[in-house]
Every structure is written in structure tokens, then in C-alpha cells.
Amino acid sequence: MKFPRTHVTLPRALGAAAAVVSLAFLTACGAPGSAGGGDGGSTSAGGSDLATCEAVPGDELVVLEDDQQLQTVDNIIPAINAAAVEGDDTLIPLLDSVSAALDTDTLIGLNKAVDVDRRTSAEVAEEFVADAGLDNPEQSGSGEIVVGAADFAESATLGTIYATVLNAAGYDAEVTTIGNREAYLPALEDGKQVQVIPEYVGTLTEFINKDVNGADAEPVASSDLDATVEGLTGLGEEVGLVFGQPSPAQDQNAFAVTKAFADENGVATLSELAETCGGLVLGGPPECTERPFCQPGLEETYGLEFAEFRSLDAGGPLTKSALTQGEVTLGLVFSSDGSLTPSE
């Protein structure tokens, strides 16, 4: 499950491949230690046999592959009110055609067009639908459909793509923004205001799981996409939701170093980092020290050794700037940010 998204452009990883991002536009953050205590350099690795790897400043970031699959899957998936598809055999296949046309590189490009190039979600969605050949679907449908979107650009763009494809097929579809998941999910379950929303497999699974089974419920989401979708489908039945096919495109937690650091130490995966370096300085949101997907998971799954944690933000400008300035070695980012260079 991802950390909560903020309203700034966030860097995101490229699945199993390393990704590069130019961060020259970033403003400098505070003096060393101002975000989370300590001085600007990494400290000794203590009793470890590993050398302490100092942070290396640089304007490009590479995302280290999560080769032991610490993170849960967070593929894009259409979430639909179950009553809205009764007697309608067209709606879900149309949404599935969008899923099939998306991958993480494509999602990065869509986010870049909106967040970096400052184009509107409507412009970007219309262009994507035409380029992907989704503007002349073989299926046809009818009726009014309201597509909901969360209050960040990626969700708005995806929602607008859904609506554009549905309109091309004969539906009367529109997009409405309804805040965060706590606000829009009840509306989707009710089905009166909203019938469709682009969602994220792992995060939605755990949100519904805790709602249905309590805050201490055993996790259902994992790094296994098929198993997580199966669990989500069962949970959806309990709250009146059905789902389309998950897209290959993901927006999930990831961890980055500067390209200069990766080149100097010869690391491309989190396992290689753990085998090579001790005395690391980790940067991320305050909750990182307690979340199983962040510091505890990095330590337990990979055996990474941290000399210090800097309290910054969830993949936002503080973490990016701390990485590029060499104030932290490893930082939490996200996997579909428009600032990332797609994999080659």
C-alpha cells in the first residue's frame, strides 16, 4: 500500500528497471539536518563489515529495482459499481481496453504531459485515446455514466481517459473529482453519484479489507498481482463493487539514489545495495520508520543497514532535493512520476 499522495509532482519507479530523472528544476532544501536531525554526511556502519557508502550529489536519480518484491502491487484497475453493469455487457470490456493500452512508461508520459508540460488532463486524454486507437471502439453502449477521480492529476487524467472511451462508444459520460478515497469510495459503493473510478489494486484492497474486517485485519494485498486481484474481487462483492482487468501500469512505492551514487558503487537493485553498502542515510516521510513497506521492510527483507533516518516527505520535493544534494543516500519515491525518464 502506498504512502498518501500529496498535491505535488512525485517521482515514481519503472517496475523492474532502473529509471533516470532530471531534477535540475528543484529548489534547495534546508541546511543539513534541518529536516530530520543529524549532520549532512552518513555515519559509521557500526559493527558491520560493509563499507560506509557516502551519499553522492547529482541531478539525476535512478530507482533501484525492488528485486525481492517488498512492495505490494499497485496496478491501475477500473473499479465499478456492481449495479451499474447489470444488463450491460459493454462497460467493463471498454474499460479493460484502456487497461490493456497502459503500461508504466505510458503512464509516466501522461503524467509528464500534465505535471511537467502543463497541458490539461482533457487534452492529454483525448490525444492518448486517439493514439491508442480507442476512439472508435467496436462495442457500443448507452446511458449516463459518471466517472469519479481523486484530487491529483494522475487520477484526473485516467478518469478522463475512461470517460473519453465511453463517450466514443455511445455512453453519456462525464468526470467529477471527489477528493480522497475516504470521500469517493462510499459514493462509488452507493452508485448514485459515481459509477466508475480508476483505482490501485493493492491500496484499494487493503482499504476495503480494513473497512470490512477491521483495522487489525490480516493483509490481503501482496506482491502477487493475481492473488491480490482475487482478494480484491472477493472484498468487492461485500461492498457492491466489481472490477475490470488490472493494467500493467503501476504507481507504487520505490527507492532511489543518485545516478552518480549508483555508478560509483555499481548498484542497480536494492539487494546489490545491501551487499555493497553500510552506513546509509534514508529519507522519507515521518511514518517511514514504522511502515512495513519502508524502513522496517528494507531492513528485514534486504538487510539494509541505516546509520540515520531523515524525516522529509513522501516522494516530494524535500526528498528529491535531499537526494540530489547528497544529504540522504536513499529516498522514497513513486513509480509513475512525470519527471522520470521512461525505460529504454
Side-chain angles (χ1 to χ4, degrees):
M1 186 162 62
K2 295 196 299 293
F3 281 98
R5 182 181 298 279
T6 64
H7 290 237
V8 296
T9 304
L10 306 177
R12 307 165 177 109
L14 299 177
V20 180
V21 52
S22 175
L23 296 170
F25 64 93
L26 290 173
T27 57
C29 64
S34 62
D39 58 25
S42 57
T43 59
S44 169
S48 171
D49 292 333
L50 295 173
T52 295
C53 294
E54 301 289 346
V56 181
D59 287 339
E60 293 181 315
L61 299 182
V62 292
V63 171
L64 298 183
E65 180 188 341
D66 180 19
D67 54 308
Q68 295 189 43
Q69 298 182 317
L70 169 63
Q71 305 302 324
T72 57
V73 292
D74 247 338
N75 299 64
I76 310 297
I77 192 169
I80 309 115
N81 177 270
V85 296
E86 291 180 0
D88 186 339
D89 297 328
T90 304
L91 182 60
I92 291 181
L94 286 168
L95 297 173
D96 286 347
S97 71
V98 176
S99 292
L102 289 170
D103 57 23
T104 303
D105 284 358
T106 302
L107 187 57
I108 289 169
L110 294 172
N111 288 327
K112 177 182 182 297
V114 176
D115 295 333
V116 179
D117 299 337
R118 313 311 298 173
R119 300 176 63 195
T120 68
S121 288
E123 291 173 339
V124 173
E126 184 176 354
E127 181 176 274
F128 168 79
V129 169
D131 289 347
L134 301 176
D135 55 345
N136 188 26
E138 296 181 1
Q139 306 101 320
S140 61
S142 62
E144 296 182 356
I145 297 290
V146 178
V147 180
D151 55 356
F152 59 93
E154 180 176 284
S155 184
T157 302
L158 291 169
T160 306
I161 290 171
Y162 285 176
T164 303
V165 170
L166 294 176
N167 282 325
Y171 290 90
D172 181 8
E174 63 175 311
V175 181
T176 184
T177 300
I178 316 180
N180 59 19
R181 189 172 284 105
E182 286 79 1
Y184 69 68
L185 195 61
L188 180 65
E189 293 172 356
D190 178 71
K192 295 177 181 177
Q193 291 180 280
V194 179
Q195 292 80 48
V196 176
I197 286 179
E199 261 291 0
Y200 301 87
V201 170
T203 300
L204 181 61
T205 297
E206 287 312 309
F207 191 93
I208 300 176
N209 183 32
K210 293 181 184 301
D211 184 49
V212 170
N213 298 315
D216 297 327
E218 190 72 19
V220 175
S222 70
S223 60
D224 185 321
L225 178 60
D226 290 340
T228 303
V229 171
E230 182 179 354
L232 175 61
T233 301
L235 289 165
E237 292 175 355
E238 300 192 45
V239 295
L241 299 181
V242 294
F243 305 95
Q245 291 296 311
S247 170
Q250 288 209 68
D251 180 351
Q252 64 182 159
N253 298 327
F255 292 91
V257 297
T258 62
K259 184 177 186 300
F261 177 92
D263 291 345
E264 183 173 307
N265 293 284
V267 296
T269 70
L270 288 170
S271 289
E272 290 174 348
L273 180 65
E275 293 167 359
T276 304
C277 294
L280 301 170
V281 180
L282 175 65
E287 315 94 287
C288 180
T289 57
E290 299 177 355
R291 296 288 178 88
F293 310 111
C294 207
Q295 183 172 347
L298 292 171
E299 291 172 337
E300 294 168 13
T301 300
Y302 287 98
L304 282 163
E305 299 177 355
F306 298 108
E308 183 184 344
F309 173 74
R310 295 286 183 90
S311 179
L312 300 168
D313 53 17
L318 291 178
T319 298
K320 294 177 182 179
S321 186
L323 280 164
T324 59
Q325 294 181 37
E327 295 178 354
V328 300
T329 322
L330 186 71
L332 176 77
V333 297
F334 292 100
S335 69
S336 61
D337 186 86
S339 299
L340 288 169
T341 299
S343 57
E344 297 180 356

